[in-house]
Structures are given as structure tokens and as C-alpha cells.
Amino acid sequence: MARLAYSQLDELSPRAAAAAVRNRIDASEVRAFVRSSPARLIALGLLLLGICLVAGAVTAAEVGDRQHALDRLLSAAEPDANSAQHLYTSLSVADAAAGTAFISGGLEPQPVRDHYDQAIGEAAAELVAQSARVGTQEATEPDNDAELRTGIATELPVYTGLIETARTNNREGHPVGAAYLSEASNLMQGSMLPQAERLQEHRWAAITETQRDHVRPPWAAIGLPILALAALIGAQYYLARRWRRVLNPGLLAASGVLLILLSWTVIAGSFSAVATASGRDHGAIPGDRLTTSRILAQQARAAETLKLVRRDASSDYDNTFDNSITRLDDLLTDYPTDAPGAGEVRTAHGALDRWRAAHERMTDALGRGDFLQASNVAIGTGPEQASAAVETLDTALADGIAHTRQTLRDDISDAARSLNFLAPGALVLAALAAAFVLAGLWPRLREYR
């Protein structure tokens, strides 16, 4: 009979066959099945399966995105920020070293000249390295970063050309050399360093944004497992009332698996957030303060040497020096004693006090018209002279920056490691919970065969 029915349907057109099937299906039987216990069990099972699988997929996606962001922070954003600050400080060091070399008169000492050449070379290398990394990064850089690098790269040979002209005139005893040096310093302070500062700010903003986002809880990865747990508990309560079964082993096992997933997510996420916050508080923030301190020191040194070169009797260079030193002193005084680099900061603070004293002696000598004595105080090799204090200060700050950078990278690595295996683990646990749901509901469905 069934074969006959199917053969007859085959002889009909598709529309006629569909109409015949609809006529043979009793609508009341369909409504009765929908209201039946097996249909409700099937619907309940599909709902629980969907919630469990979605909870695992969303958790895996959230964790994967966070771990990828941390990995990129460690491999790209942080090195870029360090490169930007190194570019800034190298340019500042070069400007200060150029003034120091000029004061020597004639052919400057080779160590001073080497210091300037090294700073210029490092600045040029950082420009090349940053440009080379742009094409290999996944995320695009801010629109005007390329313009900033291009501006610095274009002006760098102009700056070095002015310095070489100043050196040549200074060696030949022409007073115009001081004007060329001032012009070069104005180009550095008025254009190149502001561009480098904006470039550095953009790079540090990328680190700050990633850290700020990572500290926030992954609400979707927490909320959906909680929703799935609530659905499983509600389903067990429904089964207990409907079928007089107190416990369903499969649903209990699925609830336990989701509880493991939720606990794993919360604990691993908390450890990762704490490590990220530690990297921000003990790495990024102190490192930014020390970088600012180092730049202020170089700005003060450049103002000090230019005052001496120009035999300036006005207060312009003094104001620049005093403002930079005051800000530098405040940063070093307020530096946390328990932060990385605190020992280096104490060394830098002592060197700053010696530098201030030497600067006062230099200013007094220059006020008396004793240029030779003022020059000796400014660039002399003695431990109480300004050059020695500046070198000690800069070295201490550079060591402190390296210390805070290592702390930042270690904390970022810890934050990323805290999330290891959580993304694939979430998928496995979600699939296991779904399997337990099937195992728990299948015996109930078999009772209606």
C-alpha cells in the first residue's frame, strides 16, 4: 500500500503531490504532537544544546581576541612605543651633545663628537626601523604617523648640515658658527622634537588603550555560561516536576562542566587583568615618567650650552633651563619608591643636585665675564662639573627606563600566559556539556517509543 501510495505521488506534478501530502496529514495530529512530552523534550534539548555551544564559542572568541591583542602588544605595539621614545631621546641627546661639542672650540674632543654621531645614527636607525615595521603589522598606524616620520627624516639632514657648518666656522674661529648652531637647535626644538613627541604619544596611546580594554571583564564570556547554567538548572527543575525525577545525571554533569568553564574564565581572566594592570602601573606609567625626565634633562642641557655659546645675558635660556629642571625635579621627587627603577631614580636625583650646583657656578663665572671658567664648569671632566653630572643623570634614567620596560614586557607575557589553553578548552568543555545534555535527555525520549 505504501509503495502504491508513493508510486502514485511520483506520477503527480510537484504541486499536486504537495497538496496530496497536506491532505493526508491531519492537522490535529500535528498540534497534538507539538503539545506532547516528546516534542517538549526535543525542544528543551535543542535549546540547551544551543546555549551550551554558543557559550563555549563566545568564550573562545573573547579569550582569543584578548590573547591576540596581548600578543600584538608584546610583539608590535610595545616595541614601536620604545622605538618612538628612543627616537625622541636620541634627537634630544644629539642636540645637547652638539652644543657641548661647540663649547670646546676648534676641534672638539673625540668622545664628545662620538656621542653626537652615535645619537644621530640611532635616531636615523629608529626612523628606518619604524618604516620597515609598518608594512608587516596587522593594524594600520595613525594616518599622520607616516607624515611625522617623513618630516623628521626630511629635516634630519638639514639639521646635521647646519651643525657641520657651525663646526666648520667654529674651527676657523668665525663667530657666525654660533648663529648656525642656534638655527640648528631651533629646528630641533621647534619642529623635529615636537613631531617626535607626537609620534611617541600615538605609540603610547596604543599601549594604554589595549591595557584599558583588557582590564575590563569579558562580560559576554561570563554572562553566557551563567545563562547556560541557569537554563540547565531550570530544565532540571522542569523535568523533576513533570516526570517526577529528582535528578538528571546528564544535566547535572553538563552543569558541572559549565561551572568549570565559568570558573576557569573568571580565574584566568582575573589573573590576566591583574598582570595587565601591574604592567600599566609598574611598567608603562613609571617608564613614561622616566622618559619625560630624560627628555627634560636633555632640553635643560641644550639650553645651558646654548646660553654659554651665545654668551647670552638675557633670561631666555635661563627660563628654559629652570623650567625643565623644576619639572624634572618634581618627577624624580614624586617617583614611587616601590616602582621599578627607584634605585636609578635616587642616583639621578643626586646627579641633578650636583648639576644644579655646577650650573650656578657656570652662571656666576659667565656673569663675571670669565668664559673659560664657565666653559670648564660646563664641559670639564671633573666629577663635580656639569658634564659628569649630566652623564650620570642620563645613564641612570636610561637604566631606569630599561628596567620599567622589562617589567612591562614581563607583565604582558604573564597576562597572555594566563589565558593559554582557555580558548580551545572552552570549545571542548562546551562540546562536552552538549554531549551530557544529549545523554541526560535521551533516556527520557526512549520512554516514548
Side-chain angles (χ1 to χ4, degrees), residues 249-316:
L251 297 187
L252 281 176
S255 300
V257 169
L258 283 179
L259 185 60
I260 293 173
L261 173 59
L262 178 61
S263 301
W264 189 1
T265 302
V266 171
I267 293 173
S270 298
F271 276 117
S272 184
V274 168
T276 302
S278 176
R280 177 195 61 201
D281 297 338
H282 298 96
I285 293 176
D288 183 57
R289 176 174 293 190
L290 292 179
T291 299
T292 302
S293 300
R294 192 180 183 196
I295 292 168
L296 288 171
Q298 297 302 329
Q299 289 175 349
R301 180 60 173 172
E304 181 179 61
T305 55
L306 281 173
K307 174 182 174 65
L308 195 56
V309 168
R310 300 300 298 268
R311 274 75 160 180
D312 186 66
S314 68
S315 59
D316 292 342

Side-chain angles (χ1 to χ4, degrees), residues 131-143:
S131 299
R133 278 198 297 266
V134 170
T136 62
Q137 292 179 5
E138 299 176 13
T140 58
E141 61 176 352
D143 293 338

Side-chain angles (χ1 to χ4, degrees), residues 151-447:
I152 297 171
T154 301
E155 293 173 346
L156 186 59
V158 177
Y159 173 83
T160 56
L162 289 171
I163 293 296
E164 290 307 314
T165 303
R167 290 183 64 231
T168 301
N169 283 277
N170 187 45
R171 190 183 309 117
E172 296 176 357
H174 298 159
V176 73
Y180 280 105
L181 179 65
S182 297
E183 183 65 22
S185 186
N186 289 336
L187 177 63
M188 177 67 76
Q189 300 294 333
S191 180
M192 297 174 67
L193 286 179
Q195 291 180 88
E197 182 178 14
R198 290 196 296 273
L199 188 64
Q200 180 188 7
E201 288 172 351
H202 294 168
R203 294 305 186 221
W204 278 106
I207 293 180
T208 302
E209 182 179 359
T210 300
Q211 291 175 320
R212 182 176 58 250
D213 292 342
H214 192 75
V215 170
R216 295 172 183 166
W219 294 117
I222 295 174
L224 282 175
I226 292 177
L227 179 62
L229 274 173
L232 286 169
I233 294 172
Q236 292 178 77
Y237 179 74
Y238 172 75
L239 292 176
R241 290 194 60 185
R242 177 85 179 172
W243 280 272
R244 302 295 188 273
R245 304 293 175 85
V246 178
L247 296 175
N248 185 296
L251 297 187
L252 281 176
S255 300
V257 169
L258 283 179
L259 185 60
I260 293 173
L261 173 59
L262 178 61
S263 301
W264 189 1
T265 302
V266 171
I267 293 173
S270 298
F271 276 117
S272 184
V274 168
T276 302
S278 176
R280 177 195 61 201
D281 297 338
H282 298 96
I285 293 176
D288 183 57
R289 176 174 293 190
L290 292 179
T291 299
T292 302
S293 300
R294 192 180 183 196
I295 292 168
L296 288 171
Q298 297 302 329
Q299 289 175 349
R301 180 60 173 172
E304 181 179 61
T305 55
L306 281 173
K307 174 182 174 65
L308 195 56
V309 168
R310 300 300 298 268
R311 274 75 160 180
D312 186 66
S314 68
S315 59
D316 292 342
Y317 292 118
D318 286 333
N319 289 336
T320 301
F321 179 88
D322 292 338
N323 291 336
S324 297
I325 290 298
T326 299
R327 289 183 57 196
L328 173 58
D329 187 44
D330 291 340
L331 288 173
L332 297 181
T333 301
D334 297 336
Y335 193 85
T337 56
D338 59 342
E344 289 85 351
V345 168
R346 286 192 295 271
T347 301
H349 216 164
L352 177 61
D353 292 337
R354 295 193 299 273
W355 183 13
R356 276 176 161 172
H359 181 76
E360 290 179 3
R361 296 198 308 272
M362 185 202 81
T363 302
D364 292 340
L366 193 61
R368 298 192 305 268
D370 191 351
F371 179 75
L372 292 179
Q373 177 61 25
S375 299
N376 181 57
V377 173
I379 64 173
T381 58
E384 297 302 319
Q385 309 296 41
S387 287
V390 171
E391 183 177 356
T392 301
L393 172 63
D394 185 69
T395 301
L397 292 176
D399 291 344
I401 291 171
H403 196 172
T404 55
R405 184 195 180 197
Q406 189 59 49
T407 300
L408 172 62
R409 292 186 62 83
D410 289 344
D411 286 337
I412 294 173
S413 297
D414 291 342
R417 280 196 296 268
S418 299
L419 301 177
N420 281 348
F421 310 113
L422 179 53
L427 295 177
V428 172
L429 290 176
L432 187 60
F436 281 134
V437 168
L438 288 176
L441 295 181
W442 180 248
R444 303 287 80 77
L445 284 172
R446 292 184 61 187
E447 294 174 359

